[in-house]
Amino acid sequence: MASGCRCDSTAPGARMETLRGIAGSPGVAIGTAVVVGAKRAEHPRRRVGSGEVKAELARFAAAVERAQGELRDMAKRVGDHRAEASILEAYLLMLGDEALADAVERQVTEERRCAEWAVAVACDAIAARFASLDDPYLRERSHDLTFVAERLLRAFSAPPKEPPSSPDASPLSTRSLSELQGVSVLPATLGATLPRFSGPTILVAHDLSPADTAAMVEEPVVGFVTEVGTRTSHTSIMARALEIPAVVGVSDLLQRVSTGDLIVIDGLRGAVIVRPGPVELAEARARAERHVALAKELAEARHRAAQTKDGIRVSLRANVELPAEAILARDQGAEGIGLYRTEFLYIDRTSPPSEEQQFEIFRAVVEALRPKPVTLRTFDIGGDKFVSTFQVPPEMNPMLGLRAVRLALSRPDVFLEHLRAMVRASAYGDVRIMIPMVAGLGELRQVRALLRRAQEQVRARGQPCADEIPLGVMIEVPAAAIMVDHFAREAAFLSLGTNDLIQYALAVDRTSRSLAYLASPFDPSILRLISKVIQAGQDFDRPVSICGAMASDPLAALLLLGLGIRDFSMEAAAIPEIKETLRRVTVAEAEAVAAEALTCATAEEVECCVAAAFAPDLYDLLTGEREAK
């Protein structure tokens, strides 16, 4: 959030240029650009003889050990930043993942590639699979794989490091990824030591790993810009945790910014000003000050009760994917986890994770949030992402194929292990289980029967578990929304997954940039489906929550409040902002606007209706900066 620079003018003859990207982390910063990591680490491409295989595998093992040591050093540097240390721990574990080791070993023993070449080929292959997936969050994991390749390749040429004096010298565990994370993905940093900086500096790179952002803690780095990435990338998550302004996804960044350029990054608007003039600098400084003032107020109030202006209590929970994010959610004032995504346990593995591996992860999350509730969603993933584990044939449209609960019910052996791990975790806190992509009541009944069997099996072993575990459903398929009265009779709770509900109801691919304008949460048809679900919850006394991106939009959140939602789940970083949004409006005001919105004919009409009613009172939250006095 810092701003400041010793230089207020551009170089003679230099032209100012504004670049556009994605707002990765809020804030406005001014500093001198330092371009780093523009080139991938070079590595030999050498065939090895049969007599060299053992030595090459030993070199790989040594490189992994050195890379893990570097990450441990990074973890020490972040110190008390718990969320950041947890992300680095996950990355440390990824480096030692068995799936990576197996892939590298095959490249060395079967293809007779040297260790460096084997690492590059193995990581690139896994990264390519992630990059081809439909889910935008999962696609981002391909960058993590690129990072691990970089760190490992550079570790081959790094000098050996003395081991720590005791096993407890590092704050990070050395257990395998399969034990804690269950995901065969792997990251690293730029590899080389980051340059020493003097004065406010903005890092410019093709991409940065979380370890790179952790290295900023002891340096005068006030922000960063990357060519790739989205708000859901681990780099953006780290930046938000460290409160460092960031803009990601800036095309041709390295061709348009050079080391030494004075730049302004606007993490509120997703803009980068290269070589700004005096007017732009003055405006940036003013905006930075206003944003810092607002952010300070929100941070100070993040642990206050979530309630409306007229005192009606509302629950704000977090959507998370990794144990590290659970810790961040707690620090942001979340009242629990409304959606814990479990699909990363299964992706890109040669076999499903064991019950014990899953249990350890679930228990860690539940204990971190105890006594607050944690809703574990059974894996929501398609057959196209399970090729190695389930041997599911490719489908023409995997988003409408064998995925989520359909895939789970097709493999009850795997699903029972999944459920048993959740059941066992219920002994350590308030656990609820949620089923994704349910289209018919028969699916709910089948899952309930399997859950009962899982509970019986756990008890038969003498293992502890909760007496009752609420089983709910996600309402994200239009068929479920239409038949919601029947689901409300049998499910313990209902959770609106607006991301997929919008996609399926409007027949719009939500990952398509060209069609993004059609996938509006303000579409009247979506509001009517949501209203129908809320009414069913009220009729049958079932809790109704919302866990889609709609919950983290201030205007949409107020519309949902007016429709009757009292339980929101969102990205952890959005919780303070939505908490403040709700405190400025009464339920009666929200209900009046929602009633008017339900009479509108287009998404544009709805958005105008809501904005006209609430935008004036939310100016600072919508712009990300406190109004000047």
Side-chain angles (χ1 to χ4, degrees):
M1 295 185 183
S3 67
C5 186
R6 292 176 293 180
C7 177
D8 282 358
S9 61
T10 59
R15 292 173 50 189
M16 184 179 73
E17 185 175 13
T18 300
L19 312 179
R20 298 292 175 184
I22 299 168
S25 180
V28 178
I30 305 169
T32 302
V34 173
V35 178
V36 295
K39 185 179 180 181
R40 181 172 184 173
E42 295 182 357
H43 62 86
R45 292 172 172 79
R46 180 176 61 85
R47 299 287 179 180
V48 298
S50 58
E52 299 176 89
V53 168
K54 186 175 180 180
E56 290 301 303
L57 293 177
R59 292 180 62 239
F60 166 68
V64 168
E65 185 176 347
R66 281 194 290 270
Q68 289 176 326
E70 291 168 3
L71 280 178
R72 293 188 188 102
D73 290 342
M74 289 290 183
K76 292 176 183 177
R77 296 183 70 180
V78 301
D80 295 331
H81 295 274
R82 288 173 292 175
E84 297 88 303
S86 295
I87 291 177
L88 291 176
E89 178 170 4
Y91 275 36
L92 171 66
L93 299 172
M94 291 173 185
L95 278 167
D97 183 53
E98 293 178 2
L100 172 66
D102 290 345
V104 172
E105 183 175 351
R106 284 195 300 272
Q107 289 295 325
V108 174
T109 58
E110 297 175 12
E111 302 298 327
R112 297 300 169 87
R113 291 186 167 103
C114 66
E116 295 94 331
W117 194 5
V119 165
V121 171
C123 290
D124 286 350
I126 301 173
R129 288 199 290 272
F130 271 88
S132 67
L133 301 180
D134 294 321
D135 189 297
Y137 192 99
L138 297 181
R139 282 203 303 269
E140 277 301 321
R141 303 290 73 77
S142 66
H143 300 307
D144 295 336
L145 291 151
T146 301
F147 290 140
V148 77
E150 292 297 304
R151 175 162 289 286
L152 281 174
L153 290 175
R154 295 181 189 276
F156 278 102
S157 58
K161 185 176 180 179
E162 290 297 320
S165 56
S166 74
D168 297 325
S170 167
L172 300 185
S173 167
T174 55
R175 286 177 287 175
S176 71
L177 167 63
S178 299
E179 289 180 332
L180 283 184
Q181 206 59 32
V183 188
S184 299
V185 292
L186 322 141
T189 72
L190 297 169
T193 302
L194 292 174
R196 305 299 298 182
F197 307 116
S198 60
T201 300
I202 294 175
L203 291 189
V204 177
H206 175 70
D207 203 357
L208 290 169
S209 78
D212 292 323
T213 56
M216 299 178 191
V217 172
E218 296 179 356
E219 303 289 355
V221 174
V222 296
F224 69 79
V225 195
T226 62
E227 285 189 317
V228 300
T230 68
R231 274 190 60 81
T232 60
S233 63
H234 284 151
T235 307
S236 294
I237 292 170
M238 265 299 253
R240 292 194 291 274
L242 290 168
E243 299 183 344
I244 297 174
V247 178
V248 298
V250 181
S251 299
D252 301 323
L253 175 67
L254 299 182
Q255 282 71 51
R256 300 162 81 175
V257 178
S258 302
T259 294
D261 282 341
L262 178 64
I263 63 175
V264 172
I265 62 169
D266 189 331
L268 302 168
R269 300 174 178 172
V272 179
I273 304 176
V274 186
R275 299 174 293 275
V279 173
E280 289 73 25
L281 283 171
E283 180 184 351
R285 289 195 179 94
R287 294 195 68 230
E289 292 173 1
R290 293 194 297 270
H291 172 71
V292 168
L294 174 62
K296 183 178 179 181
E297 290 180 20
L298 293 178
E300 291 173 349
R302 68 182 183 273
H303 291 298
R304 294 169 62 186
Q307 60 184 37
T308 60
K309 189 176 181 180
D310 50 342
I312 303 300
R313 286 283 283 116
V314 177
S315 175
L316 300 184
R317 299 185 178 123
N319 299 340
V320 304
E321 319 229 5
L322 301 169
E325 293 174 292
I327 296 171
L328 176 61
R330 183 186 62 197
D331 293 345
Q332 291 287 357
E335 298 174 61
I337 302 298
L339 167 62
Y340 185 82
R341 300 179 175 99
T342 62
E343 38 270 26
F344 286 100
L345 295 165
Y346 293 85
I347 294 174
D348 211 59
R349 298 178 57 98
T350 55
S351 61
S354 71
E355 176 187 326
E356 198 66 29
Q357 291 165 350
Q358 297 179 65
F359 163 65
E360 290 292 343
I361 295 171
F362 298 154
R363 183 179 68 175
V365 173
V366 171
E367 288 182 330
L369 271 295
R370 191 170 53 195
K372 297 170 183 175
V374 172
T375 301
L376 301 173
R377 185 180 69 182
T378 59
F379 55 74
D380 180 10
I381 196 164
D384 62 323
K385 302 166 194 173
F386 273 98
V387 175
S388 58
T389 299
F390 284 83
Q391 299 300 315
V392 176
E395 297 178 293
M396 289 294 291
N397 191 341
M399 294 301 290
L400 299 178
L402 188 62
R403 60 168 291 205
V405 68
R406 299 169 182 173
L407 182 60
L409 292 174
S410 76
R411 287 295 304 270
D413 55 333
V414 174
F415 194 38
L416 268 171
E417 275 198 327
H418 191 50
L419 292 174
R420 284 197 300 268
M422 294 181 175
V423 169
R424 291 172 59 190
S426 71
Y428 299 87
D430 185 354
V431 170
R432 297 130 191 228
I433 297 176
M434 182 164 64
I435 318 166
M437 202 185 170
V438 175
L441 205 58
E443 292 166 330
L444 169 59
R445 292 171 179 171
Q446 290 180 71
V447 173
R448 182 187 293 115
L450 287 171
L451 177 58
R452 287 173 180 162
R453 190 191 306 176
Q455 290 171 302
E456 292 169 358
Q457 291 171 342
V458 169
R459 291 183 184 122
R461 298 173 183 168
Q463 295 170 322
C465 65
D467 293 335
E468 296 292 334
I469 303 175
L471 178 65
V473 295
M474 288 192 74
I475 305 297
E476 53 189 342
V477 176
I482 293 169
M483 298 294 290
V484 70
D485 54 330
H486 291 279
F487 281 104
R489 286 188 181 95
E490 300 193 22
F493 61 91
L494 309 171
S495 183
L496 281 154
T498 52
N499 295 351
D500 273 341
L501 184 62
I502 291 168
Q503 172 173 251
Y504 293 133
L506 300 179
V508 174
D509 179 359
R510 61 188 174 97
T511 68
S512 170
R513 290 190 177 185
S514 62
L515 297 178
Y517 71 99
L518 293 175
S520 171
F522 295 102
D523 192 280
S525 65
I526 302 302
L527 301 186
R528 294 187 183 192
L529 288 174
I530 291 173
S531 180
K532 181 179 176 66
V533 173
I534 294 169
Q535 186 61 54
Q538 294 171 350
D539 291 345
F540 294 93
D541 193 25
R542 294 292 188 267
V544 178
S545 64
I546 183 163
C547 59
M550 191 176 180
S552 60
D553 179 292
L555 293 177
L558 292 180
L559 182 55
L560 291 167
L561 176 72
L563 290 172
I565 291 290
R566 298 293 181 269
D567 190 345
F568 298 76
S569 190
M570 65 200 70
E571 178 191 10
I575 290 175
E577 179 181 66
I578 297 302
K579 185 176 291 187
E580 177 61 24
T581 297
L582 296 170
R583 297 183 71 88
R584 298 185 187 183
V585 175
T586 67
V587 169
E589 291 169 339
E591 288 176 341
V593 172
E596 182 180 351
L598 287 172
T599 68
C600 293
T602 68
E604 291 75 18
E605 290 177 15
V606 172
E607 198 161 2
C608 286
C609 167
V610 179
F614 300 127
D617 292 330
L618 302 178
Y619 173 83
D620 54 342
L621 299 175
L622 296 175
T623 61
E625 53 190 82
R626 172 63 69 208
E627 292 182 86
K629 300 193 177 178

